[in-house]
Amino acid sequence: MNLSLYGFEGHWLAVDCGMMIRQDLPSQPLQVPDVDHLVARGWVPSALLITHAHEDHIGAVACLWPKWGCPIYATPLACALIKAKFDEHGLATDALNLITPGDAIEHGPFTVRFLPVTHSIPESCSLLIHTPAGRVMHTGDWKLDPAPVVGPTVDPVTFKALAPVDVVIGDSTCADVEGFSRSEQAASDSLEACVAKCSGRVVVSCFSSNLARIKALGDIAQHTGRRIGLLGRSLERMVRIGIQLGYLDDFPSRIPTSDIGYLPPEEVLIIATGSQGEPRSALSKMAQGSHRELDLTPGDTVIFSARAIPGNEVFIQRLKEGLKRQGADIVDETNAPSIHASGHPAQEELATFYGWLRPRTLLPVHGEPAHQQAHQALATRLNIATPFAPLNGDVIELRGAKAERTEHIELTPQLHFQNAGRRRSSRGQAPTLSLALVVTPDDRGHWWRQGPAIIDIDGHLLLDEEAFIDTIDSVLEALPATSLKRLRRDLYAHLVADVHERTNVKPVLELQLIDAQNA
Ligand SMILES: [Zn+2]
Ligand SMILES: [Zn+2]
């Protein structure tokens, strides 16, 4: 998840405001950056700039922007998606300012140019941030795609004209990969060859944000005599916005979800979300044989047209096993690597881009430490200074091409629970926190938790689940209770007070205690 703050003489700009999904925790909360430490220091941005519309760059805007209340600058696609989030949260959208890739804005002492690059979503921009202290290129996520399917290719002239820049804050995601990333067109061609070979139903799972892939799938369906169905709320929203913005002009009309199961299998191509094994997704339901509209049958093929996000491998493996049990054949990056195109630059692209920009210093971001190291090794080969690999929470002083880490702030990312299936329709109602615990008494009159605490939240509540479970355990340890009824009453009061203190919200607590002896 991405959030950077750039400061000059007391003025602050935020670049991106992303989230990540914690698949490893039971109710898969959203993790958002910790900005409270920064707000407490008075580091409050007077503008938020968005490089592109991926969730790891815009997913936390609706959560965190209310703490800032500043203008937001984003391209039409990012604006449309942020607007949808704001509408869901009941937030006013007048802070949103539309940027056309190529535009420049002036904000306090900053001049920022939005420079179009290619990526796995349209309208991605690198930002050239200019102050009297120097010129920084914040690349955002990018690649050099010679055939991006949607949107223009990267214009070398624009970037060469900026050389030399002082510092590049650069995407490291694929810095360990040799050569060039595959173009979106090449991935689409392989996908078409793959679909053409299938005889039964075809389900293609891709990221809903990959409009180029979705557009290509519309064409592939038409070329292979199939009709398109969409499964997944985010996908339907993206296609609707893609059509509005003119990215999906020739997209075929979709089969209503309720009809998908009745059409002859060889006439169906379904695009579905859930490639990461998300348990509530259509694909997971298909894997369990519990999807309302569609049962997979032998002869059907599920194509994974999205890479596994690190950390999700176990969930994806479980999903694939379930799909195989339903009789589906699986096509993925292991048996058909050419259907996949990374959205991030491999080594030759980095070298080409830096050849245009001639940066004096590189700070590698966006990637695991191994990717940052590979990025530094490449920079060193290119004679670009790369003094260190930034960590989350680092405070870095930039002066011309000099970069110095002056402080490290210990940040604690926050968890944001949501339950999309049961979202409350009326606004302003207190969220419901449901908690189920199995407990057992000892002979000192204390109760102990047995097994996991099951937490579910209906509504919006920022709560660190792990810290909350620690609280439950320490309250249990401190509370003697002669009966389960007593325990229930005392624990209830303590937990509501604790959540109130942590989140400033008083939830409706539904507390279920089960005595292990009677369970
Ligand atoms: Zn990203
Ligand atoms: Zn991205």
Side-chain angles (χ1 to χ4, degrees), residues 285-492:
K285 286 179 189 150
M286 282 182 232
Q288 291 152 15
S290 63
H291 194 279
R292 244 189 307 164
E293 321 287 352
L294 185 66
D295 283 325
L296 291 174
T297 49
D300 291 349
T301 305
V302 179
I303 301 175
F304 282 77
S305 181
R307 83 193 152 91
I309 294 176
N312 295 347
E313 294 85 353
V314 177
F315 305 96
I316 297 169
Q317 198 46 42
R318 205 181 294 157
L319 172 67
K320 287 179 181 169
E321 281 160 16
L323 292 166
K324 280 185 203 155
R325 269 199 301 278
Q326 305 298 324
D329 294 323
I330 305 289
V331 176
D332 61 15
E333 55 194 326
T334 55
N335 57 14
S338 60
I339 59 170
H340 173 64
S342 168
H344 301 273
Q347 289 172 355
E348 291 302 320
E349 286 156 276
L350 289 164
T352 305
F353 195 55
Y354 296 158
W356 298 343
L357 283 174
R358 291 187 284 118
R360 294 156 71 195
T361 299
L362 165 83
L363 295 179
V365 297
H366 205 292
E368 304 290 320
H371 305 134
Q372 290 175 295
Q373 278 164 24
H375 201 173
Q376 286 189 286
L378 179 89
T380 306
R381 280 205 299 282
L382 299 172
N383 282 325
I384 302 167
T386 176
F388 57 91
L391 301 170
N392 286 331
D394 277 355
V395 180
I396 297 165
E397 196 172 286
L398 302 174
R399 208 173 282 279
K402 267 213 179 83
E404 195 186 339
R405 182 155 41 193
T406 53
E407 192 189 350
H408 180 78
I409 304 176
E410 218 37 74
L411 298 172
T412 34
Q414 287 182 304
L415 298 182
H416 185 192
F417 292 85
Q418 57 168 14
N419 189 335
R422 293 193 291 127
R423 196 185 293 281
R424 283 184 190 280
S425 50
S426 57
R427 307 214 182 276
Q429 221 167 341
T432 301
L433 168 61
S434 309
L435 171 66
L437 295 174
V438 177
V439 290
T440 183
D442 65 10
D443 42 15
R444 296 186 302 119
H446 283 263
W447 297 75
W448 301 95
R449 179 166 67 88
Q450 298 237 297
I454 314 286
I455 298 173
D456 193 17
I457 293 184
D458 189 8
H460 292 283
L461 187 63
L462 284 161
L463 184 72
D464 180 335
E465 183 167 325
E466 281 163 288
F468 183 59
I469 292 173
D470 285 345
T471 304
I472 295 169
D473 289 340
S474 50
V475 173
L476 286 173
E477 201 179 338
L479 263 187
T482 47
S483 68
L484 199 61
K485 201 172 152 197
R486 271 297 273 271
L487 177 71
R488 198 184 176 290
R489 193 194 62 196
D490 294 346
L491 188 61
Y492 187 96

Side-chain angles (χ1 to χ4, degrees), residues 2 16 52 54-57 119 140-141 171 173 307 344 366:
N2 298 278
D16 291 337
H52 67 291
H54 274 151
E55 287 296 320
D56 62 322
H57 297 257
H119 184 40
D141 296 1
D171 181 356
T173 316
R307 83 193 152 91
H344 301 273
H366 205 292

Side-chain angles (χ1 to χ4, degrees), residues 46-321:
S46 55
L48 167 61
L49 317 181
I50 301 295
T51 61
H52 67 291
H54 274 151
E55 287 296 320
D56 62 322
H57 297 257
I58 64 165
V61 177
C63 267
L64 300 183
W65 170 82
K67 296 176 195 254
W68 302 330
C70 60
I72 303 169
Y73 295 90
T75 62
L77 180 59
C79 263
L81 289 165
I82 294 171
K83 185 178 177 304
K85 286 175 196 292
F86 276 27
D87 287 343
E88 260 180 34
H89 283 70
L91 296 169
T93 55
D94 42 9
L96 280 165
N97 294 278
L98 216 54
I99 284 283
T100 305
D103 279 358
I105 59 160
E106 294 204 1
H107 212 87
F110 298 97
T111 305
V112 182
R113 284 187 64 188
F114 285 72
L115 301 159
V117 287
T118 44
H119 184 40
S120 44
I121 189 168
E123 302 176 4
S124 201
C125 288
S126 291
L127 305 182
L128 182 78
I129 303 172
H130 191 159
T131 71
R135 291 158 77 233
V136 176
M137 179 66 81
H138 182 107
T139 69
D141 296 1
W142 64 279
K143 68 188 280 190
L144 297 183
D145 194 330
V149 176
V150 165
T153 55
V154 181
D155 177 19
V157 177
T158 307
F159 289 92
K160 283 180 186 168
L162 303 172
V165 299
D166 293 315
V167 179
V168 162
I169 312 287
D171 181 356
S172 309
T173 316
C174 288
D176 57 338
V177 178
E178 286 176 15
F180 288 87
S181 66
R182 188 174 288 108
S183 81
E184 195 53 47
Q185 184 62 56
S188 299
D189 292 346
S190 298
L191 199 53
E192 174 151 355
C194 178
V195 174
K197 276 191 256 163
C198 296
S199 49
R201 225 179 253 120
V202 175
V203 180
V204 180
S205 179
C206 68
F207 293 120
S208 59
S209 56
N210 194 334
L211 271 174
R213 200 69 56 87
I214 293 169
K215 178 181 161 60
L217 285 166
D219 294 342
I220 292 169
Q222 285 170 323
H223 300 163
T224 57
R226 290 172 184 268
R227 297 178 63 196
I228 282 264
L230 300 179
L231 292 179
R233 224 165 58 101
S234 57
L235 197 57
E236 282 163 17
R237 180 166 61 196
M238 187 55 89
V239 167
R240 203 173 51 243
I241 291 173
I243 291 170
Q244 278 165 13
L245 296 178
Y247 288 122
L248 297 175
D249 282 344
D250 303 322
F251 200 72
S253 60
R254 280 89 69 203
I255 328 164
T257 314
S258 53
D259 294 355
I260 289 176
Y262 296 107
L263 283 170
E266 68 278 10
E267 290 178 17
V268 175
L269 191 158
I270 295 157
I271 313 179
T273 52
S275 65
Q276 304 303 305
E278 301 91 322
R280 285 189 278 247
S281 69
L283 206 55
S284 283
K285 286 179 189 150
M286 282 182 232
Q288 291 152 15
S290 63
H291 194 279
R292 244 189 307 164
E293 321 287 352
L294 185 66
D295 283 325
L296 291 174
T297 49
D300 291 349
T301 305
V302 179
I303 301 175
F304 282 77
S305 181
R307 83 193 152 91
I309 294 176
N312 295 347
E313 294 85 353
V314 177
F315 305 96
I316 297 169
Q317 198 46 42
R318 205 181 294 157
L319 172 67
K320 287 179 181 169
E321 281 160 16

